[in-house]
Amino acid sequence: MRKNAMQSKTMPSKDDIVKGVKEALKNNYRKSVEEASQQEIYQALALTVKEVVMDQWYNTQREMDKQDPKVVYYMSMEFLMGRALGNNLINLCAYEAAQEAMKELGLDLNEIEDQEPDPALGNGGLGRLAACFMDSLATLGYGAYGCGIRYRYGMFKQRISDGFQVEVPDNWLKDGYPFEMKRPEYCYEVKFGGNVRVDNKEDGSLTFVHENYQSVLAVPYDMPILGYNNGIVDTLMIWDAQPKEIFSLDSFDKGLYDKAVAQENLARNLVEVLYPNDNHVAGKELRLKQQYFFVSASIQRALERFHKSHDDIHLLPEKVTFQMNDTHPTVAVAELMRILLDEEGLTWEDAWDITTRTVAYTNHTIMAEALEKWPIEIFRRLLPRIYQIVDEINRRFEQDIRDRFPGDEEKVKKMAILYDGQVKMAHLAIAAGYSVNGVARLHTEILKNQELHDFYEMFPEKFNNKTNGITQRRFLAHGNPMLANWVTQQIGDGWITDLSQMEKLIPLAEKKKARDEFAAIKRANKVRLAEYIKKHNGIEVNPDSIFDVQVKRLHEYKRQLMNILHVMYLYNELLEHPDMEFIPRTFIFGAKAAAGYRNAKLSIKLINSVAEIINNDKSIDGKIKVVFIEDYKVSNAEMIFAAADVSEQISTASKEASGTGNMKFMLNGAVTIGTMDGANVEMYEEVGADNIFIFGMSSDEIIAHEKNKDYHAKDIYNNDPGIRRVLNQLVDGTYSFNDKELFRELYNALLNSQDGASADRYFILGDFRSYAETQKRVAKLYADQDAWNRVALLNVAHVGKFSSDRTIQEYVDDIWKLDLIK
């Protein structure tokens, strides 16, 4: 941990916080503590904390202006931050002081924290990774700006009604958000549509003039990202959209009512929701506009900041790097080129040289269909100047391919940025980026050898791996304080900034006293989660049962469907053999499905339908319970990770890029059941084969089946009575109150080829028996509680590699070459 001389204000004491809260309540609400609501007290405490944060934030920016370090702009469509108050208190080393202050005021800090909404700025692992990275950048002492959108309603707040997911707006800003700061002085115009006029200059060169466009103003809201106990505060800048003209009276007077508010509607639509449904043209257009909106605004602000200290734009790669988090921000390549060409007046060669030394790309998906592609017609119409630049990049890139691979026109087709009526954003990112990284070793190897092999052949020096990580400050220090305090008592607090120190716990796994203490903490966390489930779901669960947990974005390759089919299988076994030995299990799910993803939403309905039947069957005496946690998010995730016994990481091998939920569970002492996929492979290497439950086909086997087309799910169905019975229950009314068609699409997806996709595309039936047998091994180990506790504790002890601090330091050393803020 690096202490920083910039800490000009001591950390707030209990008395400071008590005084600050009282003053904030008086000044903002004209109320005393006794009169204030819980929300008002939260706001007052947040403002008290913010006062300390602002002091450090101001000092950090002054030092950055003075030292002029190289900084990274981390561009991401989502940042799944989680609540800020508790995390900021942890990183200020003031959490205990705040607890004592609230206690003195007759309040409970946990209840006050619950007043804060989760900022609805992200949804899944991509956004949570970005949040962990920002935390680590500040903690390690590097200058960084996160760049995203200030979504007013996020993706959605999930409600479960009659077992179905219902999407409602997530109005997280309704009470205001104390940790953001509007910065109208950094306001930039972003243009859409229109046409490009080409003028000839006297010297024979061309100028490109964008005209007849619509535009909005991008206005940033900055949020502080605190480093742990070092005085460094980085910035998350999230962009709001405002109309250039709120209301056109002239258009209104002419009866053109829609045109009168067109600019206001454009601005509002841009920032309403994350990932609008793109099953239609309007949705596709809105997504592309969103991506260009935040990218253009971020680059404009970055270059303005650069020019405050530098006149020579050629120095940009020495002071700035733009990291594109997946393909969503890839339009940054063409936008940077546009500014360098049209505003800085550089030649194409100079602009391309600067761009290709400034932008870098992280790939987050192995699945080819998830690599973004835009219809050329939409792209050209919405972003005419950007399209011209992409077209020229593609022309030159195709020539480079032909020069490198003479006569191989097939390779040109496969690698072209513009082909078959589409703009291929991943191809643009790789052609321009100076670095292309995967996020787990297996993922990177598959990219190099399979999905992106042609690009690897051409640019082997660009490809590298950066295995993902998580911040232990959020997911242990804050999320599991009992375990965090116990770890600190055993090995000191160095793990908070150096997770590799967890290996000091290894000898304790061999000591009965330590195992018992560890187990007592786990059970207390299970009781806490059981109380949450009782309050929110109305279901009583047994804290002494196995808490078997799968919480993550719902996608078919993540195979929540296999999990619930196995629950149905176990239930059948119990009904047939009521006296069989059976360790009680509580199966806990949490997941959001994209609004337009029908099979994912049907899987949620199936989980809830199975839960309704099993949870109300008194004949099995509570041996199985099924729980679906509504509106899964960071704040309830912290509680779930702390309580889990079993971590379900069961994606189809070769499909998951990395996963980070697996690491959060491991950090909190859950034992993984999983395939050799993503970061599971590296977890297996770290913790050892005896301390993780691996099942299923390997990535090589899956890839071979896909290539040879020799996997036949129906043969498994026909030859395995247990599997056949479970699948038949999808369409015989068992779990659908005799509506035999309700789950027909899930049944068909497993057994019938459709829309060009093979039956059981994600090999659920192929891995089912291996999964079921491995679950028996899980139960057998859990029956020996002391042996289980040893394995669980060894998982915590071997988690050191999976800190985002380690990941970020690798990015800095190998890719970004950032300078420390001294």
Side-chain angles (χ1 to χ4, degrees):
M1 181 172 62
R2 191 172 61 85
K3 299 276 186 178
N4 197 289
M6 294 178 352
Q7 287 176 280
S8 61
K9 189 168 184 176
T10 56
M11 296 305 98
S13 67
K14 178 199 74 172
D15 293 340
D16 292 333
I17 295 171
V18 169
K19 181 182 177 183
V21 168
K22 288 179 176 179
E23 287 291 317
L25 286 172
K26 182 180 75 173
N27 295 336
N28 291 280
Y29 302 104
R30 207 181 65 207
K31 290 183 179 180
S32 67
V33 172
E34 292 73 24
E35 296 170 310
S37 68
Q38 294 275 68
Q39 174 62 214
E40 289 165 342
I41 290 167
Y42 156 71
Q43 294 279 346
L45 178 56
L47 291 170
T48 302
V49 173
K50 187 178 179 181
E51 186 178 335
V52 180
V53 172
M54 290 298 291
D55 188 53
Q56 295 187 1
W57 203 2
Y58 175 87
N59 289 337
T60 299
Q61 290 301 311
R62 297 293 75 75
E63 286 298 319
M64 288 175 67
D65 290 344
K66 183 168 39 172
Q67 296 175 29
D68 191 28
K70 185 177 183 180
V71 299
V72 61
Y73 290 84
Y74 195 83
M75 295 186 157
S76 182
M77 275 299 282
E78 47 175 305
F79 288 87
L80 193 60
M81 302 305 298
R83 295 169 176 167
L85 176 59
N87 202 67
N88 287 345
L89 287 168
I90 290 286
N91 284 2
L92 287 169
C93 296
Y95 197 86
E96 288 185 12
Q99 284 180 312
E100 293 168 6
M102 292 301 99
K103 188 174 181 181
E104 183 171 309
L105 295 172
L107 300 164
D108 184 321
L109 179 58
N110 289 329
E111 292 179 4
I112 301 305
E113 284 190 73
D114 284 342
Q115 294 299 309
E116 180 179 357
D118 283 47
L121 304 174
N123 172 51
L126 184 81
R128 186 52 234 173
L129 181 77
C132 287
F133 279 6
M134 291 301 297
D135 179 277
S136 289
L137 278 158
T139 294
L140 293 171
Y142 297 108
Y145 294 87
C147 309
I149 294 177
R150 184 178 180 262
Y151 303 104
R152 290 176 188 168
Y153 301 110
M155 192 162 92
F156 55 80
K157 185 183 286 286
Q158 183 189 58
R159 290 286 174 257
I160 301 300
S161 177
D162 190 29
F164 288 99
Q165 171 180 289
V166 177
E167 302 91 21
V168 299
D170 189 351
N171 192 12
W172 69 285
L173 290 166
K174 68 182 176 67
D175 295 310
Y177 197 67
F179 288 107
E180 68 176 7
M181 182 170 65
K182 187 176 181 179
R183 305 299 300 274
E185 67 271 31
Y186 298 112
C187 177
Y188 303 97
E189 186 177 14
V190 180
K191 303 172 183 177
F192 303 100
N195 58 278
V196 179
R197 189 183 78 241
V198 182
D199 294 338
N200 289 292
K201 293 168 70 174
E202 289 183 4
D203 63 2
S205 61
L206 303 177
T207 58
F208 297 85
V209 182
H210 195 178
E211 56 188 13
N212 302 317
Y213 53 81
Q214 281 188 307
S215 67
V216 297
L217 298 178
V219 179
Y221 284 71
D222 288 355
M223 293 173 64
I225 307 295
L226 280 66
Y228 180 80
N229 196 28
N230 67 355
I232 301 290
V233 182
D234 282 331
T235 301
L236 174 63
M237 55 182 186
I238 48 175
W239 295 93
D240 191 22
Q242 295 181 1
K244 282 192 71 178
E245 181 183 50
I246 294 176
F247 182 78
S248 173
L249 187 59
D250 180 60
S251 295
F252 190 84
D253 287 341
K254 293 175 181 176
L256 304 173
Y257 303 127
D258 288 342
K259 188 175 180 182
V261 292
Q263 286 195 31
E264 185 176 8
N265 288 339
L266 172 61
R268 186 173 65 242
N269 290 341
L270 278 172
V271 296
E272 294 276 59
V273 298
L274 166 66
Y275 300 142
N277 191 343
D278 63 352
N279 289 350
H280 42 72
V281 171
K284 286 183 171 64
E285 291 181 355
L286 181 54
R287 281 206 188 192
L288 180 57
K289 286 178 180 176
Q290 285 183 323
Q291 292 178 10
Y292 182 65
F293 165 73
F294 93 87
V295 162
S296 176
S298 299
I299 292 178
Q300 289 184 68
R301 187 173 176 186
L303 292 188
E304 180 180 325
R305 182 182 178 277
F306 171 81
H307 276 309
K308 282 169 66 175
S309 304
H310 307 93
D311 295 325
D312 186 359
I313 192 65
H314 294 86
L315 296 176
L316 186 69
E318 297 174 28
K319 291 298 177 181
V320 168
T321 193
F322 295 109
Q323 185 69 34
M324 301 179 293
N325 190 32
D326 215 358
T327 51
H328 309 124
T330 300
V331 72
V333 172
E335 174 64 2
L336 181 55
M337 285 291 291
R338 181 192 69 79
I339 294 173
L340 295 176
L341 291 167
D342 298 353
E343 297 180 17
E344 298 286 345
L346 298 186
T347 65
W348 181 276
E349 288 72 21
D350 268 2
W352 186 246
D353 176 66
I354 291 170
T355 298
T356 55
R357 291 189 292 122
T358 306
V359 300
Y361 165 52
T362 299
N363 175 282
H364 281 278
T365 182
I366 294 163
M367 294 159 59
E369 64 268 29
L371 297 173
E372 276 193 314
K373 308 171 189 71
W374 294 108
I376 284 177
E377 186 278 325
I378 290 176
F379 197 98
R380 181 168 46 202
R381 174 164 46 83
L382 294 183
L383 307 174
R385 178 61 180 139
I386 294 300
Y387 178 76
Q388 288 179 337
I389 291 168
V390 172
D391 189 32
E392 180 62 15
I393 292 172
N394 180 65
R395 187 188 69 78
R396 293 173 181 239
F397 183 51
E398 286 188 358
Q399 189 56 53
D400 290 344
I401 300 169
R402 291 186 176 99
D403 292 345
R404 179 71 186 275
F405 305 102
D408 194 344
E409 286 302 304
E410 191 60 34
K411 195 174 285 286
V412 175
K413 290 179 184 178
K414 287 195 289 184
M415 298 176 68
I417 298 163
L418 302 178
Y419 185 71
D420 197 23
Q422 295 179 317
V423 185
K424 301 186 176 184
M425 302 308 282
H427 296 191
L428 176 61
I430 299 167
Y434 68 89
S435 168
V436 178
N437 74 277
V439 291
R441 191 175 66 243
L442 174 64
H443 167 230
T444 302
E445 290 305 307
I446 291 173
L447 292 180
K448 287 172 12 180
N449 297 324
Q450 303 282 337
E451 298 301 330
L452 301 177
H453 178 68
D454 292 314
F455 290 92
Y456 178 63
E457 259 194 312
M458 188 163 179
F459 304 118
E461 72 285 355
K462 291 187 180 187
F463 283 74
N464 61 94
N465 176 60
K466 299 290 171 281
T467 297
N468 284 342
I470 58 171
T471 170
Q472 62 269 30
R473 292 166 289 280
R474 163 75 67 178
F475 291 105
L476 187 54
H478 183 261
N480 193 346
M482 287 185 288
L483 182 56
N485 291 337
W486 182 81
V487 170
T488 296
Q489 290 168 9
Q490 306 304 318
I491 65 172
D493 66 359
W495 62 270
I496 299 174
T497 52
D498 178 9
L499 197 60
S500 69
Q501 293 196 26
M502 286 295 204
E503 65 185 11
K504 295 177 183 176
L505 292 172
I506 293 173
L508 292 176
E510 308 307 323
K511 297 182 178 179
K512 182 72 163 61
K513 180 173 179 290
R515 295 195 296 270
D516 289 346
E517 291 170 352
F518 177 80
I521 291 167
K522 176 64 74 174
R523 192 180 190 284
N525 283 321
K526 291 172 73 174
V527 169
R528 179 178 65 157
L529 181 59
E531 291 169 352
Y532 178 93
I533 290 169
K534 176 65 175 173
K535 179 180 177 180
H536 290 85
N537 293 71
I539 301 170
E540 288 193 16
V541 300
N542 176 9
D544 294 315
S545 66
I546 302 174
F547 277 20
D548 186 314
V549 185
Q550 187 175 20
V551 287
K552 55 182 72 227
R553 177 172 61 91
L554 210 150
H555 193 289
E556 287 167 283
Y557 83 81
K558 294 177 184 287
R559 301 201 294 192
Q560 286 93 344
L561 180 56
M562 182 166 72
N563 189 344
I564 195 62
L565 292 176
H566 176 251
V567 174
M568 293 159 61
Y569 173 81
L570 286 180
Y571 180 51
N572 290 340
E573 291 284 290
L574 266 180
L575 292 178
E576 283 189 13
H577 311 287
D579 296 325
M580 66 184 284
E581 282 190 26
F582 193 89
I583 305 292
R585 290 246 188 158
T586 300
F587 292 93
I588 299 170
F589 295 83
K592 288 183 178 180
Y597 193 170
R598 182 160 174 79
N599 275 7
K601 295 177 79 170
L602 266 181
S603 295
I604 290 175
K605 172 59 176 173
L606 177 62
I607 292 166
N608 284 302
S609 296
V610 172
E612 188 170 358
I613 297 295
I614 292 179
N615 295 345
N616 290 294
D617 186 345
K618 291 184 171 30
S619 75
I620 62 169
D621 197 25
K623 289 177 181 176
I624 301 177
K625 288 289 179 76
V626 181
V627 177
F628 188 92
I629 303 286
E630 183 181 69
D631 202 34
Y632 175 63
K633 54 194 173 186
V634 175
S635 52
N636 56 26
E638 293 178 27
M639 186 186 306
I640 294 166
F641 294 135
D645 293 309
V646 175
S647 163
E648 296 269 355
Q649 307 300 327
I650 59 177
S651 57
T652 310
S654 81
K655 304 304 179 192
E656 186 72 82
S658 168
T660 52
N662 45 9
M663 304 168 190
K664 295 159 196 165
F665 281 112
M666 185 182 186
L667 177 67
N668 283 275
V671 183
T672 299
I673 179 170
T675 52
M676 287 294 263
D677 196 27
N680 291 356
V681 176
E682 290 161 78
M683 288 169 55
Y684 172 90
E685 293 169 355
E686 294 295 309
V687 78
D690 293 337
N691 302 307
I692 188 170
F693 293 95
I694 297 296
F695 75 94
M697 287 181 270
S698 69
S699 58
D700 287 342
E701 289 173 312
I702 295 288
I703 291 168
H705 280 309
E706 290 173 330
K707 181 180 178 182
N708 298 328
K709 299 186 180 348
D710 59 359
Y711 171 69
H712 304 292
K714 219 161 215 175
D715 290 347
I716 299 171
Y717 170 85
N718 288 328
N719 293 317
D720 189 318
I723 290 176
R724 185 166 62 252
R725 181 181 178 191
V726 168
L727 263 61
N728 287 346
Q729 287 174 331
L730 292 175
V731 290
D732 68 6
T734 299
Y735 293 102
S736 53
F737 300 97
N738 293 319
D739 179 357
K740 297 181 180 180
E741 297 306 307
L742 179 59
F743 300 119
R744 175 73 61 180
E745 288 170 77
L746 297 178
Y747 176 88
N748 286 342
L750 292 170
L751 292 177
N752 301 315
S753 301
Q754 44 193 332
D755 299 326
S758 61
D760 193 15
R761 181 182 177 190
Y762 296 108
F763 300 85
I764 288 173
L765 303 191
D767 275 348
F768 187 91
R769 274 296 164 195
S770 175
Y771 178 60
E773 290 303 312
T774 304
Q775 284 284 21
K776 290 179 183 177
R777 290 171 45 219
V778 170
K780 183 178 180 182
L781 180 63
Y782 193 84
D784 183 344
Q785 275 288 283
D786 194 49
W788 179 273
N789 295 334
R790 176 180 176 277
V791 168
L793 183 49
L794 283 172
N795 269 266
V796 179
H798 287 93
V799 77
K801 175 178 179 175
F802 302 108
S803 171
S804 52
D805 298 343
R806 184 267 313 153
T807 312
I808 285 298
Q809 194 57 56
E810 290 180 3
Y811 273 96
V812 169
D813 293 342
D814 302 340
I815 302 175
W816 300 334
K817 312 295 183 185
L818 304 183
D819 304 313
L820 281 169
I821 305 170
K822 298 171 184 172

